[in-house]
Amino acid sequence: MYGFEALTFNIHGGYLEAIVRGHRAGLLTTADYNNLCQCENLDDIKMHLSATKYGSYLQNEPSPLHTTTIVEKCTLKLVDDYKHMLCQATEPMSTFLEYIRYGHMIDNVVLIVTGTLHERDVQELLEKCHPLGMFDSIATLAVAQNMRELYRLVLVDTPLAPYFSECLTSEDLDDMNIEIMRNTLYKAYLEDFYKFCQKIGGATSEIMSDLLAFEADRRAVNITINSIGTELTREDRKKLYSNFGLLYPYGHEELAICEDIDQVRGVMEKYPPYQAIFSKMSYGESQMLDKAFYEEEVRRLCLAFEQQFHYAVFFAYMRLREQEIRNLMWISECVAQNQKSRIHDSVVYMF
Amino acid sequence: MSGAAIHASSWAAALVRISPYTFSAIGIAISIGVSVLGAAWGIYITGSSLIGAAIEAPRITSKNLISVIFCEAVAIYGVIVAIILQTKLESVPSSKMYDAESLRAGYAIFASGIIVGFANLVCGLCVGIIGSSCALSDAQNSTLFVKILVIEIFGSALGLFGVIVGIIMSAQATWPTK
């Protein structure tokens, strides 16, 4: 019952919530990022990171370091935290935590299928996959020729199976189809996750609805902008938008017919939460849009920690860690390539 | 006098013919049982958060045991009142067992037990939930501990109110003299 979760949440979730809040305290702050931005080379970065929670993961790496190593080890910490929480969780928290991985699974599937299309080696592709999205039969994806085979051979046994009902065609896989497949799968995943959170009810459903609605709207805008000027028809574009969120359904109608960025801006400025994002950019510019969306997402994720006794803190923590890893990757790349003037273009500060 | 205005087979007559000792016994049981329920509920709410938070911030453990102690105090109130109430029980000859004064004594002990039991139940819950938030906040920022402790002290005063009223109530438990 909404309002009385404090009475029973701690039976199953109290310990894990306290653990995830402890992890949140270990996220890098603005002061940490400032120190990192002033590093001269990757060994300096490693030294600064050794004072943070990443220390034990990076200390055994030999120099010279690569940026990919730093990112890989930091992702390893995220995976360890996640697995520790998952093995302690009971229903429905364990299902909730599993849902957080499905997005990565979809990304991995698309990565392998695209890579096979471009004739890359399967082992090389498997190393690039995100560890949270691995499942047993993932290597068999390289064998499939079209989507029906993809489903029948590999994906029917995975948790992604129910998301495939709209995707089954016998067409051969090419770049366009794969992108459409990715977006259709992600749409089904978001709707499924949304329904699951509604079923849990209480503070979880309230906070997760807000976070997932923002995700759905952001994807709608990105799909629109990326498909301007391609051969994707308006009906196809509309089919890729999710069935919930602030933009559903009228915003989607308007976005489907947009042909350039200024029209998109015109549509989005009718919605007060997104007006603030779009007003930060000057006309005709879309590079800052990604960063503006990330900043808004981080702001909402940090707000999820203000309430106690709900599951959205787990989702928020995973997303904030992923953002932190993105920040670290950007900073490492800028430092390695001696482009420190561009560091502040893409780092999103959290606290 | 007690049976004069009541029809012999109505529900009111049935209620009045329940022995006052039944009501007293139930009151004493509720006083201790429900208080301990409240204390236990509060302790597990606080304890699970405290254990998890202490992994990343071990310094919070000793200070935050105060929350657990406040919850425990609630159970002790229940025990004290139960002991006081059971000393108020006296034997009454059967001719006087259904007199108005006997019934009054029985109801007084029953009411005292309910007051103390349920006041301690909600007090234990309150202190437990605040204690959980206190542990989590202390782990993030240690200056918050003392301020949240003040809230907990106000919360634990609720149990004390219940005990005071319960003891005053139990002073009404005077059985008829032989």
Side-chain angles (χ1 to χ4, degrees):
Chain A
M1 191 168 40
Y2 194 7
F4 290 90
E5 294 133 342
L7 300 180
T8 49
F9 183 85
N10 275 11
I11 302 176
H12 292 294
Y15 172 69
L16 284 176
E17 179 177 3
I19 286 197
V20 89
R21 284 179 187 266
H23 288 319
R24 173 219 185 263
L27 288 170
L28 300 177
T29 60
T30 313
D32 290 320
Y33 284 126
N34 283 338
N35 282 345
L36 285 172
C37 290
Q38 283 160 6
C39 288
E40 295 294 328
N41 54 37
L42 292 179
D43 287 322
D44 274 349
I45 289 189
K46 174 177 158 185
M47 186 183 73
H48 276 117
L49 284 180
S50 63
T52 67
K53 297 289 177 189
Y54 291 118
S56 54
Y57 288 87
L58 283 176
Q59 71 191 19
N60 290 330
E61 292 302 308
S63 24
L65 277 183
H66 294 286
T67 52
T68 47
T69 321
I70 294 183
V71 171
E72 198 183 301
K73 294 298 167 194
C74 296
T75 314
L76 203 56
K77 175 180 171 30
L78 172 64
V79 172
D80 282 345
D81 288 344
Y82 176 80
K83 290 208 168 115
H84 175 76
M85 292 193 291
L86 184 62
C87 71
Q88 300 261 5
T90 60
E91 290 292 330
M93 199 195 310
S94 53
T95 314
F96 185 89
L97 288 175
E98 290 276 355
Y99 266 100
I100 298 179
R101 297 168 73 165
Y102 296 165
H104 291 293
M105 275 190 205
I106 295 175
D107 286 339
N108 284 354
V109 165
V110 169
L111 180 75
I112 291 194
V113 170
T114 319
T116 314
L117 194 66
H118 293 269
E119 323 235 328
R120 300 242 194 284
D121 180 39
V122 172
Q123 286 307 317
E124 191 190 316
L125 292 171
L126 283 178
E127 280 169 25
K128 289 206 180 134
C129 284
H130 197 284
L132 276 182
M134 298 297 276
F135 50 93
D136 283 335
S137 41
I138 194 169
T140 357
L141 283 171
V143 177
Q145 301 288 347
N146 61 35
M147 286 194 218
R148 209 175 279 279
E149 269 186 30
L150 205 60
Y151 177 70
R152 198 173 53 83
L153 289 179
V154 185
L155 293 167
V156 67
D157 290 325
T158 64
L160 297 179
Y163 304 149
F164 257 84
S165 56
E166 292 182 26
C167 263
L168 285 176
T169 64
S170 299
E171 290 172 18
D172 276 344
L173 298 167
D174 64 34
D175 279 323
M176 175 76 135
N177 285 348
I178 293 177
E179 274 309 301
I180 295 183
M181 175 177 88
R182 180 212 296 266
N183 284 310
T184 321
L185 284 179
Y186 211 89
K187 167 191 166 174
Y189 156 63
L190 277 182
E191 283 167 8
D192 195 22
F193 200 1
Y194 187 77
K195 277 201 220 72
F196 177 72
C197 292
Q198 302 284 77
K199 208 167 55 146
I200 295 183
T204 305
S205 84
E206 186 180 321
I207 300 176
M208 285 306 295
S209 299
D210 180 54
L211 292 174
L212 290 177
F214 179 76
E215 177 80 14
D217 292 339
R218 178 170 76 160
R219 287 192 82 86
V221 170
N222 282 338
I223 289 174
T224 313
I225 292 182
N226 291 340
S227 62
I228 291 175
T230 66
E231 2 172 282
L232 194 64
T233 64
R234 290 177 179 183
E235 289 74 30
D236 283 342
R237 198 197 279 181
K238 199 145 164 262
K239 272 197 285 190
L240 295 176
Y241 298 149
S242 300
N243 292 343
F244 63 96
L246 204 56
L247 292 176
Y248 170 78
Y250 306 113
H252 289 164
E253 307 262 339
E254 295 186 22
L255 275 179
I257 57 176
C258 283
E259 292 298 335
D260 67 48
I261 298 204
D262 289 325
Q263 285 180 354
V264 171
R265 176 199 292 270
V267 171
M268 299 303 284
E269 286 192 339
K270 293 187 196 143
Y271 295 87
Y274 303 127
Q275 183 184 31
I277 298 177
F278 277 80
S279 64
K280 279 191 221 162
M281 300 171 359
S282 51
Y283 272 91
E285 188 191 298
S286 75
Q287 295 99 317
M288 298 301 293
L289 186 61
D290 272 344
K291 183 174 182 199
F293 270 130
Y294 279 134
E295 278 172 352
E296 176 66 17
E297 185 188 11
V298 162
R299 189 185 69 84
R300 290 182 190 217
L301 291 171
C302 290
L303 286 178
F305 285 94
E306 300 292 314
Q307 254 187 305
Q308 210 182 335
F309 309 119
H310 60 88
Y311 298 138
V313 283
F314 298 98
F315 179 79
Y317 168 68
M318 301 292 289
R319 284 294 170 104
L320 283 173
R321 269 279 178 222
E322 285 167 23
Q323 178 61 45
E324 183 176 277
I325 293 176
R326 275 197 289 269
N327 285 348
L328 283 175
M329 182 171 74
W330 178 258
I331 293 177
S332 309
E333 288 285 351
C334 284
V335 162
Q337 295 172 18
N338 251 328
Q339 299 250 18
K340 284 169 51 175
S341 52
R342 296 196 54 200
I343 273 192
H344 295 282
D345 280 352
S346 196
V347 174
V348 178
Y349 297 104
M350 289 175 214
F351 307 116
Chain B
M1 181 199 110
S2 64
I6 301 174
H7 194 275
S9 64
S10 67
W11 283 106
L15 276 174
V16 163
R17 296 295 289 192
I18 297 178
S19 161
Y21 294 120
T22 310
F23 281 109
S24 313
I26 294 178
I28 296 173
I30 289 180
S31 127
I32 177 66
V34 178
S35 301
V36 168
L37 173 65
W41 203 331
I43 290 180
Y44 91 65
I45 292 179
T46 297
S48 49
S49 292
L50 181 53
I51 292 174
I55 291 182
E56 294 284 337
R59 61 183 163 79
I60 68 168
T61 37
S62 22
K63 281 201 289 185
N64 278 278
L65 284 178
I66 287 186
S67 309
V68 179
I69 291 174
F70 275 133
C71 289
E72 178 72 20
V74 153
I76 293 177
Y77 299 155
V79 171
I80 290 174
V81 172
I83 293 177
I84 290 176
L85 288 180
Q86 66 89 25
T87 60
K88 301 281 181 190
L89 283 174
E90 284 170 16
S91 278
V92 169
S94 0
S95 56
K96 296 205 181 175
M97 189 140 75
Y98 297 102
D99 283 355
E101 207 173 321
S102 289
L103 294 177
R104 184 183 92 151
Y107 296 152
I109 298 180
F110 179 59
S112 176
I114 290 190
I115 290 168
V116 171
F118 287 98
N120 284 339
L121 171 65
V122 290
C123 171
L125 277 173
C126 169
V127 173
I129 295 174
I130 300 176
S132 154
S133 306
C134 182
L136 295 176
S137 314
D138 190 15
Q140 302 269 343
N141 178 359
S142 46
T143 58
L144 289 175
F145 176 72
V146 178
K147 303 182 169 94
I148 299 182
L149 199 63
V150 173
I151 305 177
E152 259 186 79
I153 292 173
F154 278 109
S156 75
L158 301 174
L160 218 46
F161 298 157
V163 169
I164 291 171
V165 175
I167 291 186
I168 292 174
M169 200 62 208
S170 73
Q172 296 284 321
T174 48
W175 301 86
T177 48
K178 293 201 177 52

